[in-house]
Amino acid sequence: MIICLKKRYNFLLQFSLLLMHCSYCKRALAEDEDCLECIECDSVVHSKCLRTCRPGDLLGDVFFDFTCAACMNLRNDAPSTSMSAKTAAPRENFVRQRLSWFMIVVLTLYNLSVKSKGLSHHGFFHWRSHIVSFINKNWDFLMEPGT
């Protein structure tokens, strides 16, 4: 029974991905693509379709509260006393989600395995020389101020 439900869930997940599309390029979403979902309108955008630059260069890092350009434009259309807020072009907004240590280590291992081929010894990385040094190098980005 559990296996049957799991297969059904996987089928529904695949089917829902086929129905979903990027709100910028209108192409269908693939299961292995990095996407961000707008926290206001629930539209989904490919990471590569973002109008502003991607918030970071870590592969697989989609741990941001994202607001799409359309929703930011609606915010800017709200009554405001500042003329500069109305004349500026709408841009996406990214706010770093608080990352647990588990997620930091998973992001680190994923990036090391993809970007640093040949660094590992049969798929294993050294804690101090590989993992800790990667986290130290990217500390400010992973732990943005206020998190």
Side-chain angles (χ1 to χ4, degrees):
M1 178 70 172
I2 294 174
I3 294 172
C4 181
L5 290 175
K6 189 173 184 181
K7 286 182 182 179
R8 187 172 199 171
Y9 173 76
N10 286 338
F11 171 75
L12 291 174
L13 182 65
Q14 293 288 335
F15 186 71
S16 66
L17 281 173
L18 290 174
L19 295 176
M20 295 176 72
H21 63 279
C22 174
S23 63
Y24 287 1
C25 72
K26 307 299 184 207
R27 284 191 6 246
L29 299 176
E31 186 177 351
D32 60 341
E33 289 181 303
D34 286 345
C35 300
L36 293 168
E37 183 176 357
C38 178
I39 60 173
E40 294 190 20
C41 68
D42 296 329
S43 64
V44 182
V45 178
H46 293 116
S47 292
K48 61 186 174 192
C49 294
L50 294 173
R51 293 186 179 144
T52 56
C53 63
R54 194 179 159 138
D57 63 348
L58 294 181
L59 298 174
D61 187 7
V62 293
F63 302 102
F64 296 92
D65 288 331
F66 167 69
T67 307
C68 69
C71 292
M72 290 301 291
N73 194 21
L74 289 174
R75 277 188 190 174
N76 289 343
D77 285 345
S80 174
T81 58
S82 169
M83 282 304 290
S84 63
K86 290 184 178 185
T87 58
R91 304 186 84 160
E92 294 109 346
N93 185 36
F94 303 94
V95 177
R96 162 63 82 196
Q97 294 174 356
R98 186 180 191 114
L99 294 176
S100 66
W101 276 106
F102 175 74
M103 289 310 304
I104 290 173
V105 172
V106 167
L107 270 174
T108 300
L109 291 173
Y110 180 69
N111 278 269
L112 286 173
S113 65
V114 172
K115 289 182 177 179
S116 304
K117 296 221 182 270
L119 182 66
S120 69
H121 180 68
H122 301 291
F124 294 95
F125 293 97
H126 292 246
W127 174 252
R128 184 158 295 167
S129 59
H130 298 142
I131 297 170
V132 172
S133 65
F134 184 90
I135 292 172
N136 281 338
K137 186 174 111 183
N138 295 289
W139 181 261
D140 289 334
F141 177 69
L142 292 169
M143 298 293 190
E144 285 186 356
T147 60

PDB file of all heavy atoms in Angstrom, residues 23-43:
ATOM      1  N   SER A  23       6.949  31.675 -15.492  1.00  0.00           N
ATOM      2  CA  SER A  23       6.113  32.843 -15.790  1.00  0.00           C
ATOM      3  C   SER A  23       6.856  33.880 -16.633  1.00  0.00           C
ATOM      4  O   SER A  23       6.229  34.789 -17.161  1.00  0.00           O
ATOM      5  CB  SER A  23       5.600  33.479 -14.496  1.00  0.00           C
ATOM      6  OG  SER A  23       6.668  33.946 -13.725  1.00  0.00           O
ATOM      7  N   TYR A  24       8.177  33.734 -16.809  1.00  0.00           N
ATOM      8  CA  TYR A  24       8.931  34.668 -17.646  1.00  0.00           C
ATOM      9  C   TYR A  24       9.072  34.152 -19.075  1.00  0.00           C
ATOM     10  O   TYR A  24       8.722  34.841 -20.009  1.00  0.00           O
ATOM     11  CB  TYR A  24      10.313  34.927 -17.057  1.00  0.00           C
ATOM     12  CG  TYR A  24      10.335  35.785 -15.814  1.00  0.00           C
ATOM     13  CD1 TYR A  24       9.168  36.279 -15.230  1.00  0.00           C
ATOM     14  CD2 TYR A  24      11.525  36.096 -15.207  1.00  0.00           C
ATOM     15  CE1 TYR A  24       9.197  37.054 -14.093  1.00  0.00           C
ATOM     16  CE2 TYR A  24      11.568  36.884 -14.059  1.00  0.00           C
ATOM     17  CZ  TYR A  24      10.402  37.357 -13.513  1.00  0.00           C
ATOM     18  OH  TYR A  24      10.437  38.130 -12.381  1.00  0.00           O
ATOM     19  N   CYS A  25       9.567  32.917 -19.242  1.00  0.00           N
ATOM     20  CA  CYS A  25       9.827  32.393 -20.593  1.00  0.00           C
ATOM     21  C   CYS A  25       8.697  31.508 -21.116  1.00  0.00           C
ATOM     22  O   CYS A  25       8.707  31.130 -22.276  1.00  0.00           O
ATOM     23  CB  CYS A  25      11.147  31.635 -20.642  1.00  0.00           C
ATOM     24  SG  CYS A  25      11.118  30.030 -19.806  1.00  0.00           S
ATOM     25  N   LYS A  26       7.757  31.141 -20.256  1.00  0.00           N
ATOM     26  CA  LYS A  26       6.578  30.323 -20.589  1.00  0.00           C
ATOM     27  C   LYS A  26       6.913  28.878 -20.960  1.00  0.00           C
ATOM     28  O   LYS A  26       6.057  28.142 -21.403  1.00  0.00           O
ATOM     29  CB  LYS A  26       5.751  30.949 -21.729  1.00  0.00           C
ATOM     30  CG  LYS A  26       5.348  32.381 -21.491  1.00  0.00           C
ATOM     31  CD  LYS A  26       4.489  32.514 -20.268  1.00  0.00           C
ATOM     32  CE  LYS A  26       4.021  33.964 -20.105  1.00  0.00           C
ATOM     33  NZ  LYS A  26       3.756  34.327 -18.758  1.00  0.00           N
ATOM     34  N   ARG A  27       8.174  28.455 -20.773  1.00  0.00           N
ATOM     35  CA  ARG A  27       8.545  27.058 -21.026  1.00  0.00           C
ATOM     36  C   ARG A  27       8.153  26.207 -19.832  1.00  0.00           C
ATOM     37  O   ARG A  27       8.093  26.679 -18.697  1.00  0.00           O
ATOM     38  CB  ARG A  27      10.058  26.931 -21.259  1.00  0.00           C
ATOM     39  CG  ARG A  27      10.496  27.392 -22.616  1.00  0.00           C
ATOM     40  CD  ARG A  27      11.947  27.020 -22.967  1.00  0.00           C
ATOM     41  NE  ARG A  27      12.607  26.172 -22.007  1.00  0.00           N
ATOM     42  CZ  ARG A  27      13.655  26.545 -21.264  1.00  0.00           C
ATOM     43  NH1 ARG A  27      14.149  27.754 -21.371  1.00  0.00           N
ATOM     44  NH2 ARG A  27      14.210  25.712 -20.420  1.00  0.00           N
ATOM     45  N   ALA A  28       7.906  24.932 -20.101  1.00  0.00           N
ATOM     46  CA  ALA A  28       7.549  23.994 -19.037  1.00  0.00           C
ATOM     47  C   ALA A  28       8.727  23.819 -18.084  1.00  0.00           C
ATOM     48  O   ALA A  28       9.890  23.937 -18.474  1.00  0.00           O
ATOM     49  CB  ALA A  28       7.151  22.654 -19.628  1.00  0.00           C
ATOM     50  N   LEU A  29       8.408  23.530 -16.839  1.00  0.00           N
ATOM     51  CA  LEU A  29       9.440  23.310 -15.830  1.00  0.00           C
ATOM     52  C   LEU A  29       9.909  21.864 -15.880  1.00  0.00           C
ATOM     53  O   LEU A  29       9.100  20.957 -16.009  1.00  0.00           O
ATOM     54  CB  LEU A  29       8.898  23.614 -14.438  1.00  0.00           C
ATOM     55  CG  LEU A  29       8.418  25.037 -14.198  1.00  0.00           C
ATOM     56  CD1 LEU A  29       7.815  25.142 -12.813  1.00  0.00           C
ATOM     57  CD2 LEU A  29       9.557  26.009 -14.349  1.00  0.00           C
ATOM     58  N   ALA A  30      11.205  21.676 -15.755  1.00  0.00           N
ATOM     59  CA  ALA A  30      11.766  20.333 -15.676  1.00  0.00           C
ATOM     60  C   ALA A  30      12.091  20.043 -14.215  1.00  0.00           C
ATOM     61  O   ALA A  30      12.341  20.954 -13.421  1.00  0.00           O
ATOM     62  CB  ALA A  30      13.018  20.217 -16.539  1.00  0.00           C
ATOM     63  N   GLU A  31      12.091  18.781 -13.875  1.00  0.00           N
ATOM     64  CA  GLU A  31      12.302  18.381 -12.482  1.00  0.00           C
ATOM     65  C   GLU A  31      13.689  18.753 -11.971  1.00  0.00           C
ATOM     66  O   GLU A  31      13.869  19.069 -10.805  1.00  0.00           O
ATOM     67  CB  GLU A  31      12.097  16.878 -12.352  1.00  0.00           C
ATOM     68  CG  GLU A  31      12.148  16.377 -10.936  1.00  0.00           C
ATOM     69  CD  GLU A  31      11.874  14.897 -10.835  1.00  0.00           C
ATOM     70  OE1 GLU A  31      11.476  14.276 -11.823  1.00  0.00           O
ATOM     71  OE2 GLU A  31      12.070  14.357  -9.744  1.00  0.00           O
ATOM     72  N   ASP A  32      14.685  18.766 -12.854  1.00  0.00           N
ATOM     73  CA  ASP A  32      16.057  18.988 -12.412  1.00  0.00           C
ATOM     74  C   ASP A  32      16.522  20.435 -12.556  1.00  0.00           C
ATOM     75  O   ASP A  32      17.677  20.734 -12.350  1.00  0.00           O
ATOM     76  CB  ASP A  32      16.996  18.062 -13.171  1.00  0.00           C
ATOM     77  CG  ASP A  32      16.950  18.276 -14.677  1.00  0.00           C
ATOM     78  OD1 ASP A  32      15.971  18.867 -15.162  1.00  0.00           O
ATOM     79  OD2 ASP A  32      17.892  17.842 -15.363  1.00  0.00           O
ATOM     80  N   GLU A  33      15.628  21.367 -12.879  1.00  0.00           N
ATOM     81  CA  GLU A  33      16.009  22.766 -13.032  1.00  0.00           C
ATOM     82  C   GLU A  33      15.796  23.524 -11.724  1.00  0.00           C
ATOM     83  O   GLU A  33      14.842  23.273 -11.002  1.00  0.00           O
ATOM     84  CB  GLU A  33      15.168  23.444 -14.122  1.00  0.00           C
ATOM     85  CG  GLU A  33      15.511  22.990 -15.518  1.00  0.00           C
ATOM     86  CD  GLU A  33      14.680  23.704 -16.562  1.00  0.00           C
ATOM     87  OE1 GLU A  33      13.442  23.624 -16.472  1.00  0.00           O
ATOM     88  OE2 GLU A  33      15.275  24.320 -17.450  1.00  0.00           O
ATOM     89  N   ASP A  34      16.690  24.479 -11.446  1.00  0.00           N
ATOM     90  CA  ASP A  34      16.519  25.343 -10.283  1.00  0.00           C
ATOM     91  C   ASP A  34      15.445  26.368 -10.590  1.00  0.00           C
ATOM     92  O   ASP A  34      15.509  27.048 -11.619  1.00  0.00           O
ATOM     93  CB  ASP A  34      17.824  26.078  -9.961  1.00  0.00           C
ATOM     94  CG  ASP A  34      18.866  25.184  -9.341  1.00  0.00           C
ATOM     95  OD1 ASP A  34      18.507  24.080  -8.901  1.00  0.00           O
ATOM     96  OD2 ASP A  34      20.037  25.591  -9.294  1.00  0.00           O
ATOM     97  N   CYS A  35      14.461  26.450  -9.726  1.00  0.00           N
ATOM     98  CA  CYS A  35      13.362  27.397  -9.896  1.00  0.00           C
ATOM     99  C   CYS A  35      13.069  28.074  -8.570  1.00  0.00           C
ATOM    100  O   CYS A  35      13.335  27.520  -7.513  1.00  0.00           O
ATOM    101  CB  CYS A  35      12.099  26.684 -10.372  1.00  0.00           C
ATOM    102  SG  CYS A  35      12.273  25.849 -11.937  1.00  0.00           S
ATOM    103  N   LEU A  36      12.521  29.274  -8.665  1.00  0.00           N
ATOM    104  CA  LEU A  36      12.090  30.000  -7.486  1.00  0.00           C
ATOM    105  C   LEU A  36      10.604  30.299  -7.622  1.00  0.00           C
ATOM    106  O   LEU A  36      10.133  30.620  -8.699  1.00  0.00           O
ATOM    107  CB  LEU A  36      12.868  31.306  -7.347  1.00  0.00           C
ATOM    108  CG  LEU A  36      14.352  31.159  -7.051  1.00  0.00           C
ATOM    109  CD1 LEU A  36      15.062  32.491  -7.230  1.00  0.00           C
ATOM    110  CD2 LEU A  36      14.556  30.664  -5.639  1.00  0.00           C
ATOM    111  N   GLU A  37       9.878  30.200  -6.506  1.00  0.00           N
ATOM    112  CA  GLU A  37       8.451  30.462  -6.502  1.00  0.00           C
ATOM    113  C   GLU A  37       8.191  31.777  -5.780  1.00  0.00           C
ATOM    114  O   GLU A  37       8.680  31.999  -4.676  1.00  0.00           O
ATOM    115  CB  GLU A  37       7.711  29.330  -5.800  1.00  0.00           C
ATOM    116  CG  GLU A  37       6.220  29.487  -5.822  1.00  0.00           C
ATOM    117  CD  GLU A  37       5.497  28.299  -5.201  1.00  0.00           C
ATOM    118  OE1 GLU A  37       6.161  27.331  -4.808  1.00  0.00           O
ATOM    119  OE2 GLU A  37       4.265  28.363  -5.108  1.00  0.00           O
ATOM    120  N   CYS A  38       7.427  32.643  -6.423  1.00  0.00           N
ATOM    121  CA  CYS A  38       7.091  33.940  -5.842  1.00  0.00           C
ATOM    122  C   CYS A  38       6.236  33.726  -4.594  1.00  0.00           C
ATOM    123  O   CYS A  38       5.269  32.969  -4.623  1.00  0.00           O
ATOM    124  CB  CYS A  38       6.351  34.797  -6.862  1.00  0.00           C
ATOM    125  SG  CYS A  38       5.849  36.410  -6.213  1.00  0.00           S
ATOM    126  N   ILE A  39       6.594  34.401  -3.520  1.00  0.00           N
ATOM    127  CA  ILE A  39       5.864  34.227  -2.267  1.00  0.00           C
ATOM    128  C   ILE A  39       4.528  34.954  -2.284  1.00  0.00           C
ATOM    129  O   ILE A  39       3.687  34.701  -1.428  1.00  0.00           O
ATOM    130  CB  ILE A  39       6.700  34.685  -1.044  1.00  0.00           C
ATOM    131  CG1 ILE A  39       7.080  36.155  -1.160  1.00  0.00           C
ATOM    132  CG2 ILE A  39       7.913  33.817  -0.869  1.00  0.00           C
ATOM    133  CD1 ILE A  39       7.745  36.732   0.068  1.00  0.00           C
ATOM    134  N   GLU A  40       4.306  35.826  -3.262  1.00  0.00           N
ATOM    135  CA  GLU A  40       3.049  36.571  -3.319  1.00  0.00           C
ATOM    136  C   GLU A  40       2.046  35.983  -4.303  1.00  0.00           C
ATOM    137  O   GLU A  40       0.876  35.846  -3.989  1.00  0.00           O
ATOM    138  CB  GLU A  40       3.332  38.035  -3.637  1.00  0.00           C
ATOM    139  CG  GLU A  40       4.089  38.705  -2.504  1.00  0.00           C
ATOM    140  CD  GLU A  40       4.177  40.198  -2.653  1.00  0.00           C
ATOM    141  OE1 GLU A  40       3.370  40.783  -3.396  1.00  0.00           O
ATOM    142  OE2 GLU A  40       5.064  40.783  -2.014  1.00  0.00           O
ATOM    143  N   CYS A  41       2.483  35.641  -5.517  1.00  0.00           N
ATOM    144  CA  CYS A  41       1.532  35.175  -6.533  1.00  0.00           C
ATOM    145  C   CYS A  41       1.691  33.694  -6.874  1.00  0.00           C
ATOM    146  O   CYS A  41       0.966  33.180  -7.711  1.00  0.00           O
ATOM    147  CB  CYS A  41       1.653  36.006  -7.802  1.00  0.00           C
ATOM    148  SG  CYS A  41       3.200  35.772  -8.703  1.00  0.00           S
ATOM    149  N   ASP A  42       2.657  33.011  -6.277  1.00  0.00           N
ATOM    150  CA  ASP A  42       2.916  31.588  -6.484  1.00  0.00           C
ATOM    151  C   ASP A  42       3.372  31.247  -7.898  1.00  0.00           C
ATOM    152  O   ASP A  42       3.372  30.082  -8.284  1.00  0.00           O
ATOM    153  CB  ASP A  42       1.701  30.724  -6.123  1.00  0.00           C
ATOM    154  CG  ASP A  42       1.359  30.805  -4.655  1.00  0.00           C
ATOM    155  OD1 ASP A  42       2.293  30.990  -3.845  1.00  0.00           O
ATOM    156  OD2 ASP A  42       0.173  30.697  -4.310  1.00  0.00           O
ATOM    157  N   SER A  43       3.756  32.237  -8.706  1.00  0.00           N
ATOM    158  CA  SER A  43       4.295  31.929 -10.028  1.00  0.00           C
ATOM    159  C   SER A  43       5.712  31.386  -9.856  1.00  0.00           C
ATOM    160  O   SER A  43       6.397  31.684  -8.879  1.00  0.00           O
ATOM    161  CB  SER A  43       4.291  33.161 -10.921  1.00  0.00           C
ATOM    162  OG  SER A  43       5.150  34.152 -10.398  1.00  0.00           O
TER     163      SER A  43
END
